[in-house]
Amino acid sequence: MSYFCNMAYNKKNYNKRAQFIIDVYKNAKHDDVPDTKIIRTVFPKFNIYISYRQWMNIKGMPIPKENQNQLSLFGT
């Protein structure tokens, strides 16, 4: 069972969760550590339970950055 699939679908929440997973991956990734070991040992420590296929989809998707300047258009 995957935590990723149990969320209500909202693109912003999906992107935030994907960004969190990528951040965890970047902290754990070294040249001699394969992705499968990170998925199997590191991700569960952060309550991330995804398959290798789901990880490849997340790893390959472009994650948009939140634009803070959009709020300045309304004078806030």
Side-chain angles (χ1 to χ4, degrees):
M1 180 162 68
S2 171
Y3 180 78
F4 220 95
C5 294
N6 293 336
M7 292 176 50
Y9 184 77
N10 181 341
K11 192 67 172 174
K12 284 186 177 182
N13 288 342
Y14 184 82
N15 288 340
K16 286 180 187 177
R17 182 72 176 159
Q19 186 60 52
F20 171 70
I21 292 171
I22 290 172
D23 291 341
V24 169
Y25 170 78
K26 285 181 181 177
N27 289 333
K29 182 62 178 168
H30 300 290
D31 291 338
D32 59 342
V33 180
D35 286 359
T36 53
K37 183 168 182 156
I38 293 172
I39 291 169
R40 200 174 51 239
T41 59
V42 177
F43 282 179
K45 293 177 185 175
F46 293 92
N47 290 329
I48 303 170
Y49 300 98
I50 58 175
S51 67
Y52 185 75
R53 178 173 286 203
Q54 286 174 316
W55 166 238
M56 286 294 113
N57 288 335
I58 292 169
K59 188 176 177 183
M61 76 182 232
I63 305 220
K65 302 291 180 193
E66 290 186 22
N67 191 357
Q68 299 296 334
N69 295 333
Q70 287 181 343
L71 297 177
S72 65
L73 295 173
F74 299 107
T76 58

